[in-house]
PDB file of all heavy atoms in Angstrom:
ATOM      1  N   ASP A 213      90.418-149.899  50.019  1.00 96.00           N
ATOM      2  CA  ASP A 213      89.787-150.491  51.202  1.00 96.00           C
ATOM      3  C   ASP A 213      90.501-151.743  51.680  1.00 96.00           C
ATOM      4  O   ASP A 213      89.962-152.480  52.531  1.00 96.00           O
ATOM      5  CB  ASP A 213      88.330-150.810  50.901  1.00 96.00           C
ATOM      6  CG  ASP A 213      87.479-149.557  50.720  1.00 96.00           C
ATOM      7  OD1 ASP A 213      87.619-148.647  51.549  1.00 96.00           O
ATOM      8  OD2 ASP A 213      86.693-149.483  49.758  1.00 96.00           O
ATOM      9  N   GLU A 214      91.687-152.044  51.168  1.00 97.00           N
ATOM     10  CA  GLU A 214      92.415-153.228  51.577  1.00 97.00           C
ATOM     11  C   GLU A 214      93.085-153.012  52.944  1.00 97.00           C
ATOM     12  O   GLU A 214      93.805-152.014  53.132  1.00 97.00           O
ATOM     13  CB  GLU A 214      93.504-153.567  50.534  1.00 97.00           C
ATOM     14  CG  GLU A 214      92.952-154.004  49.189  1.00 97.00           C
ATOM     15  CD  GLU A 214      92.147-155.291  49.314  1.00 97.00           C
ATOM     16  OE1 GLU A 214      92.548-156.156  50.128  1.00 97.00           O
ATOM     17  OE2 GLU A 214      91.130-155.420  48.606  1.00 97.00           O
ATOM     18  N   PRO A 215      92.882-153.906  53.917  1.00 97.00           N
ATOM     19  CA  PRO A 215      93.416-153.703  55.266  1.00 97.00           C
ATOM     20  C   PRO A 215      94.922-153.463  55.277  1.00 97.00           C
ATOM     21  O   PRO A 215      95.399-152.561  56.005  1.00 97.00           O
ATOM     22  CB  PRO A 215      93.070-155.005  55.985  1.00 97.00           C
ATOM     23  CG  PRO A 215      91.816-155.499  55.288  1.00 97.00           C
ATOM     24  CD  PRO A 215      92.016-155.113  53.848  1.00 97.00           C
ATOM     25  N   ALA A 216      95.693-154.222  54.491  1.00 97.00           N
ATOM     26  CA  ALA A 216      97.139-154.053  54.519  1.00 97.00           C
ATOM     27  C   ALA A 216      97.546-152.672  54.012  1.00 97.00           C
ATOM     28  O   ALA A 216      98.499-152.059  54.531  1.00 97.00           O
ATOM     29  CB  ALA A 216      97.805-155.132  53.666  1.00 97.00           C
ATOM     30  N   GLU A 217      96.849-152.171  53.018  1.00 97.00           N
ATOM     31  CA  GLU A 217      97.195-150.859  52.475  1.00 97.00           C
ATOM     32  C   GLU A 217      96.772-149.745  53.436  1.00 97.00           C
ATOM     33  O   GLU A 217      97.456-148.721  53.551  1.00 97.00           O
ATOM     34  CB  GLU A 217      96.542-150.673  51.114  1.00 97.00           C
ATOM     35  CG  GLU A 217      97.066-151.665  50.070  1.00 97.00           C
ATOM     36  CD  GLU A 217      96.527-151.408  48.687  1.00 97.00           C
ATOM     37  OE1 GLU A 217      96.126-150.255  48.396  1.00 97.00           O
ATOM     38  OE2 GLU A 217      96.495-152.358  47.880  1.00 97.00           O
ATOM     39  N   ILE A 218      95.660-149.935  54.122  1.00 98.00           N
ATOM     40  CA  ILE A 218      95.267-148.959  55.139  1.00 98.00           C
ATOM     41  C   ILE A 218      96.304-148.905  56.256  1.00 98.00           C
ATOM     42  O   ILE A 218      96.707-147.834  56.702  1.00 98.00           O
ATOM     43  CB  ILE A 218      93.874-149.298  55.717  1.00 98.00           C
ATOM     44  CG1 ILE A 218      92.817-149.271  54.596  1.00 98.00           C
ATOM     45  CG2 ILE A 218      93.496-148.343  56.826  1.00 98.00           C
ATOM     46  CD1 ILE A 218      91.446-149.756  55.023  1.00 98.00           C
ATOM     47  N   GLU A 219      96.737-150.081  56.684  1.00 98.00           N
ATOM     48  CA  GLU A 219      97.750-150.142  57.752  1.00 98.00           C
ATOM     49  C   GLU A 219      99.027-149.442  57.341  1.00 98.00           C
ATOM     50  O   GLU A 219      99.623-148.660  58.125  1.00 98.00           O
ATOM     51  CB  GLU A 219      98.039-151.600  58.125  1.00 98.00           C
ATOM     52  CG  GLU A 219      96.908-152.290  58.842  1.00 98.00           C
ATOM     53  CD  GLU A 219      97.274-153.705  59.281  1.00 98.00           C
ATOM     54  OE1 GLU A 219      98.471-153.918  59.567  1.00 98.00           O
ATOM     55  OE2 GLU A 219      96.387-154.586  59.297  1.00 98.00           O
ATOM     56  N   ALA A 220      99.485-149.693  56.117  1.00 98.00           N
ATOM     57  CA  ALA A 220     100.737-149.092  55.655  1.00 98.00           C
ATOM     58  C   ALA A 220     100.628-147.567  55.586  1.00 98.00           C
ATOM     59  O   ALA A 220     101.529-146.847  56.027  1.00 98.00           O
ATOM     60  CB  ALA A 220     101.114-149.663  54.285  1.00 98.00           C
ATOM     61  N   ALA A 221      99.516-147.084  55.049  1.00 98.00           N
ATOM     62  CA  ALA A 221      99.328-145.639  54.900  1.00 98.00           C
ATOM     63  C   ALA A 221      99.198-144.978  56.270  1.00 98.00           C
ATOM     64  O   ALA A 221      99.776-143.917  56.528  1.00 98.00           O
ATOM     65  CB  ALA A 221      98.093-145.350  54.050  1.00 98.00           C
ATOM     66  N   PHE A 222      98.458-145.629  57.166  1.00 98.00           N
ATOM     67  CA  PHE A 222      98.270-145.029  58.499  1.00 98.00           C
ATOM     68  C   PHE A 222      99.576-145.060  59.291  1.00 98.00           C
ATOM     69  O   PHE A 222      99.901-144.098  59.988  1.00 98.00           O
ATOM     70  CB  PHE A 222      97.182-145.759  59.252  1.00 98.00           C
ATOM     71  CG  PHE A 222      96.977-145.206  60.635  1.00 98.00           C
ATOM     72  CD1 PHE A 222      96.347-143.981  60.823  1.00 98.00           C
ATOM     73  CD2 PHE A 222      97.453-145.878  61.751  1.00 98.00           C
ATOM     74  CE1 PHE A 222      96.188-143.440  62.105  1.00 98.00           C
ATOM     75  CE2 PHE A 222      97.312-145.367  63.020  1.00 98.00           C
ATOM     76  CZ  PHE A 222      96.672-144.137  63.196  1.00 98.00           C
ATOM     77  N   ARG A 223     100.312-146.134  59.179  1.00 98.00           N
ATOM     78  CA  ARG A 223     101.590-146.231  59.913  1.00 98.00           C
ATOM     79  C   ARG A 223     102.530-145.096  59.471  1.00 98.00           C
ATOM     80  O   ARG A 223     103.203-144.460  60.316  1.00 98.00           O
ATOM     81  CB  ARG A 223     102.241-147.580  59.649  1.00 98.00           C
ATOM     82  CG  ARG A 223     103.515-147.814  60.461  1.00 98.00           C
ATOM     83  CD  ARG A 223     104.078-149.215  60.244  1.00 98.00           C
ATOM     84  NE  ARG A 223     103.242-150.251  60.845  1.00 98.00           N
ATOM     85  CZ  ARG A 223     102.474-151.072  60.137  1.00 98.00           C
ATOM     86  NH1 ARG A 223     102.443-150.997  58.822  1.00 98.00           N
ATOM     87  NH2 ARG A 223     101.733-151.980  60.751  1.00 98.00           N
ATOM     88  N   ASP A 224     102.562-144.832  58.180  1.00 98.00           N
ATOM     89  CA  ASP A 224     103.409-143.745  57.668  1.00 98.00           C
ATOM     90  C   ASP A 224     102.934-142.385  58.173  1.00 98.00           C
ATOM     91  O   ASP A 224     103.731-141.546  58.584  1.00 98.00           O
ATOM     92  CB  ASP A 224     103.407-143.788  56.133  1.00 98.00           C
ATOM     93  CG  ASP A 224     104.254-142.691  55.539  1.00 98.00           C
ATOM     94  OD1 ASP A 224     105.463-142.664  55.839  1.00 98.00           O
ATOM     95  OD2 ASP A 224     103.726-141.877  54.763  1.00 98.00           O
ATOM     96  N   ALA A 225     101.613-142.154  58.153  1.00 98.00           N
ATOM     97  CA  ALA A 225     101.070-140.889  58.607  1.00 98.00           C
ATOM     98  C   ALA A 225     101.297-140.688  60.107  1.00 98.00           C
ATOM     99  O   ALA A 225     101.663-139.604  60.564  1.00 98.00           O
ATOM    100  CB  ALA A 225      99.583-140.818  58.274  1.00 98.00           C
ATOM    101  N   TRP A 226     101.099-141.777  60.876  1.00 98.00           N
ATOM    102  CA  TRP A 226     101.250-141.683  62.335  1.00 98.00           C
ATOM    103  C   TRP A 226     102.708-141.367  62.694  1.00 98.00           C
ATOM    104  O   TRP A 226     102.983-140.650  63.672  1.00 98.00           O
ATOM    105  CB  TRP A 226     100.817-142.995  62.960  1.00 98.00           C
ATOM    106  CG  TRP A 226     100.780-142.965  64.469  1.00 98.00           C
ATOM    107  CD1 TRP A 226     101.684-143.515  65.327  1.00 98.00           C
ATOM    108  CD2 TRP A 226      99.763-142.350  65.286  1.00 98.00           C
ATOM    109  NE1 TRP A 226     101.300-143.283  66.620  1.00 98.00           N
ATOM    110  CE2 TRP A 226     100.130-142.589  66.640  1.00 98.00           C
ATOM    111  CE3 TRP A 226      98.603-141.664  65.013  1.00 98.00           C
ATOM    112  CZ2 TRP A 226      99.350-142.134  67.706  1.00 98.00           C
ATOM    113  CZ3 TRP A 226      97.821-141.211  66.080  1.00 98.00           C
ATOM    114  CH2 TRP A 226      98.206-141.438  67.406  1.00 98.00           C
ATOM    115  N   ALA A 227     103.635-141.839  61.888  1.00 97.00           N
ATOM    116  CA  ALA A 227     105.059-141.612  62.181  1.00 97.00           C
ATOM    117  C   ALA A 227     105.475-140.169  61.881  1.00 97.00           C
ATOM    118  O   ALA A 227     106.361-139.624  62.556  1.00 97.00           O
ATOM    119  CB  ALA A 227     105.931-142.560  61.344  1.00 97.00           C
ATOM    120  N   GLY A 228     104.808-139.516  60.894  1.00 97.00           N
ATOM    121  CA  GLY A 228     105.283-138.206  60.482  1.00 97.00           C
ATOM    122  C   GLY A 228     104.395-137.033  60.790  1.00 97.00           C
ATOM    123  O   GLY A 228     104.822-135.878  60.704  1.00 97.00           O
ATOM    124  N   ALA A 229     103.132-137.269  61.171  1.00 98.00           N
ATOM    125  CA  ALA A 229     102.186-136.170  61.371  1.00 98.00           C
ATOM    126  C   ALA A 229     101.832-136.032  62.835  1.00 98.00           C
ATOM    127  O   ALA A 229     102.000-136.975  63.644  1.00 98.00           O
ATOM    128  CB  ALA A 229     100.937-136.389  60.537  1.00 98.00           C
ATOM    129  N   ASP A 230     101.309-134.870  63.188  1.00 98.00           N
ATOM    130  CA  ASP A 230     100.846-134.624  64.557  1.00 98.00           C
ATOM    131  C   ASP A 230      99.333-134.844  64.685  1.00 98.00           C
ATOM    132  O   ASP A 230      98.839-135.208  65.756  1.00 98.00           O
ATOM    133  CB  ASP A 230     101.141-133.164  64.964  1.00 98.00           C
ATOM    134  CG  ASP A 230     102.619-132.852  64.848  1.00 98.00           C
ATOM    135  OD1 ASP A 230     103.414-133.459  65.599  1.00 98.00           O
ATOM    136  OD2 ASP A 230     102.984-131.998  64.006  1.00 98.00           O
ATOM    137  N   VAL A 231      98.625-134.600  63.601  1.00 98.00           N
ATOM    138  CA  VAL A 231      97.167-134.797  63.562  1.00 98.00           C
ATOM    139  C   VAL A 231      96.857-135.624  62.324  1.00 98.00           C
ATOM    140  O   VAL A 231      97.316-135.298  61.209  1.00 98.00           O
ATOM    141  CB  VAL A 231      96.411-133.467  63.499  1.00 98.00           C
ATOM    142  CG1 VAL A 231      94.909-133.693  63.500  1.00 98.00           C
ATOM    143  CG2 VAL A 231      96.816-132.553  64.670  1.00 98.00           C
ATOM    144  N   ILE A 232      96.096-136.692  62.470  1.00 98.00           N
ATOM    145  CA  ILE A 232      95.717-137.557  61.362  1.00 98.00           C
ATOM    146  C   ILE A 232      94.217-137.651  61.314  1.00 98.00           C
ATOM    147  O   ILE A 232      93.561-137.947  62.320  1.00 98.00           O
ATOM    148  CB  ILE A 232      96.325-138.977  61.503  1.00 98.00           C
ATOM    149  CG1 ILE A 232      97.851-138.914  61.582  1.00 98.00           C
ATOM    150  CG2 ILE A 232      95.898-139.856  60.331  1.00 98.00           C
ATOM    151  CD1 ILE A 232      98.395-138.844  62.993  1.00 98.00           C
ATOM    152  N   ILE A 233      93.655-137.380  60.143  1.00 98.00           N
ATOM    153  CA  ILE A 233      92.223-137.487  59.901  1.00 98.00           C
ATOM    154  C   ILE A 233      92.008-138.620  58.911  1.00 98.00           C
ATOM    155  O   ILE A 233      92.659-138.661  57.860  1.00 98.00           O
ATOM    156  CB  ILE A 233      91.633-136.189  59.321  1.00 98.00           C
ATOM    157  CG1 ILE A 233      92.076-134.979  60.139  1.00 98.00           C
ATOM    158  CG2 ILE A 233      90.121-136.293  59.234  1.00 98.00           C
ATOM    159  CD1 ILE A 233      91.499-134.869  61.508  1.00 98.00           C
ATOM    160  N   THR A 234      91.102-139.523  59.221  1.00 98.00           N
ATOM    161  CA  THR A 234      90.709-140.553  58.253  1.00 98.00           C
ATOM    162  C   THR A 234      89.227-140.368  57.919  1.00 98.00           C
ATOM    163  O   THR A 234      88.444-139.915  58.757  1.00 98.00           O
ATOM    164  CB  THR A 234      90.935-141.985  58.772  1.00 98.00           C
ATOM    165  OG1 THR A 234      89.962-142.297  59.784  1.00 98.00           O
ATOM    166  CG2 THR A 234      92.328-142.158  59.344  1.00 98.00           C
ATOM    167  N   THR A 235      88.870-140.689  56.674  1.00 98.00           N
ATOM    168  CA  THR A 235      87.474-140.616  56.273  1.00 98.00           C
ATOM    169  C   THR A 235      87.085-141.933  55.597  1.00 98.00           C
ATOM    170  O   THR A 235      87.824-142.437  54.756  1.00 98.00           O
ATOM    171  CB  THR A 235      87.195-139.470  55.283  1.00 98.00           C
ATOM    172  OG1 THR A 235      87.850-139.744  54.038  1.00 98.00           O
ATOM    173  CG2 THR A 235      87.716-138.136  55.835  1.00 98.00           C
ATOM    174  N   GLY A 236      85.948-142.466  56.010  1.00 97.00           N
ATOM    175  CA  GLY A 236      85.441-143.682  55.376  1.00 97.00           C
ATOM    176  C   GLY A 236      85.889-144.952  56.095  1.00 97.00           C
ATOM    177  O   GLY A 236      86.819-144.953  56.905  1.00 97.00           O
TER     178      GLY A 236
END
């Protein structure tokens, strides 16, 4: 739940995926 870790994970997913689902 750490903001910096969420940002890093989402940035990586947004760069490589076409559809991104987050939960929680």
Side-chain angles (χ1 to χ4, degrees):
D213 291 315
E214 293 297 324
E217 296 186 24
I218 298 173
E219 290 184 32
F222 178 74
R223 185 176 290 107
D224 180 59
W226 187 257
D230 304 295
V231 182
I232 301 93
I233 311 291
T234 72
T235 68

